[in-house]
Amino acid sequence: MTFGVSHHKDAVGSDTWQENGLVCRMIRAAKEAVPEMIVMSDTCFCEYTDHGHCGVLHRHAIDNDATLVNLGKQSVQAARAGADFIAPSSATDGQVAAIRQALDAEGLHETTILSCSTKLASSLYGPFREAGGSSLQGERKTYQVDPMNRREALRESLLDEAEGADTPMVKPAGMYLDLIRDIRNASDLPLAGYQVSGEYAMIKFASKVGAIDEHNVVRESIGAIKRAGADPIFTYFALDLALQGI
């Protein structure tokens, strides 16, 4: 899954729908290097806007409908560049339906949508935002899911399924195992869990000072996400797991 760290930022993140913008360059580079690799394009705007929000701002609030149009444009360019999955993470209402419609209108019927459907307004994204040089002004609690609202978390994933998502996702995963189980009980679709940068960092820092055994805790944490009901699991420990085994 590709994420951009863009130096070409503007008010709407227009670099994302340029044929030679960063989104398309990353996808083509990955496909050229390893043609059989499955490439998922994170579809959002936070790393491409000068205000750091996930869509078009209008009077200090997200313009939902204008953002949907731009998500469609970004998705089409990513699919044309070779993305196998479009992975919307902007938490915009109606994003899956808008992306599916935009892809189908261009004949990109086989491009799959893995939706970050239950994305919590969590404090655990901090290390990623720091590494990416986030320019966020304000907060994202008006469009991401309230971490304490279990019913909303379930509803958001079921709405995305109804709009045509092929795979919903819970992000972050480790502190929200109950939500993974809720969605698994309500849906037969493949369900993804994302162990985010803050979860990764906590394990790394605790291991560094000798408080835990990293090798075992990594596997316990991934096992818990799997046990809760996740199918694919996204984690920064993926390379370690691939090289060392489960």
Side-chain angles (χ1 to χ4, degrees):
M1 182 177 284
T2 54
F3 293 86
V5 180
S6 178
H7 298 288
H8 301 285
K9 300 184 179 186
D10 60 23
V12 295
S14 64
D15 187 69
T16 61
W17 62 78
Q18 304 302 322
E19 184 177 353
N20 291 313
L22 182 57
V23 169
C24 293
R25 297 201 310 272
M26 289 189 295
I27 294 166
R28 288 195 294 265
K31 279 295 189 181
E32 288 170 5
V34 187
E36 66 273 21
M37 180 181 291
I38 298 297
V39 175
M40 303 179 179
S41 180
D42 178 72
T43 302
C44 193
F45 298 102
C46 55
E47 291 300 319
Y48 305 91
T49 54
D50 52 20
H51 46 74
H53 281 281
C54 302
V56 178
L57 276 186
H58 179 66
R59 295 179 180 175
H60 307 291
I62 292 291
D63 186 326
N64 197 91
D65 291 351
T67 301
L68 292 178
V69 173
N70 292 348
L71 284 169
K73 292 190 289 186
Q74 181 183 161
S75 299
V76 166
Q77 287 294 354
R80 286 175 175 167
D84 302 285
F85 284 77
I86 300 300
S89 63
S90 71
T92 304
D93 290 342
Q95 62 182 9
V96 172
I99 289 170
R100 184 75 271 160
Q101 183 178 12
L103 292 171
D104 289 350
E106 295 297 322
L108 299 164
H109 308 291
E110 296 185 2
T111 304
T112 306
I113 299 177
L114 187 155
S115 177
C116 189
S117 52
T118 297
K119 185 174 185 179
L120 289 305
S122 173
S123 298
L124 292 168
Y125 307 125
F128 170 78
R129 290 177 183 170
E130 182 179 354
S134 174
S135 53
L136 179 62
Q137 302 170 18
E139 58 186 18
R140 298 175 179 150
K141 292 182 179 179
T142 57
Y143 49 96
Q144 294 179 352
V145 177
D146 180 352
M148 298 301 111
N149 193 333
R150 186 172 181 174
R151 287 177 293 182
E152 181 188 10
L154 173 60
R155 181 168 60 89
E156 291 289 347
S157 277
L158 294 181
L159 283 170
D160 278 18
E161 178 175 348
E163 290 179 17
D166 299 284
T167 304
M169 175 192 284
V170 176
K171 180 180 182 179
M175 287 190 181
Y176 300 96
L177 300 179
D178 58 323
L179 306 185
I180 294 175
R181 175 47 54 183
D182 286 346
I183 298 166
R184 167 52 60 237
N185 289 341
S187 173
D188 292 327
L189 289 178
L191 173 60
Y194 201 124
Q195 186 181 53
V196 301
S197 60
E199 297 172 278
Y200 171 84
M202 287 192 292
I203 294 173
K204 279 291 186 182
F205 285 132
S207 172
K208 187 175 182 179
V209 298
I212 61 172
D213 180 287
E214 179 180 320
H215 181 92
N216 289 331
V217 170
V218 168
R219 284 146 185 82
E220 188 173 341
S221 67
I222 297 297
I225 297 169
K226 190 71 174 178
R227 186 187 66 241
D231 297 302
I233 297 173
F234 293 78
T235 174
Y236 292 95
F237 290 110
L239 183 59
D240 292 346
L241 292 167
L243 294 175
Q244 300 168 12
I246 299 297

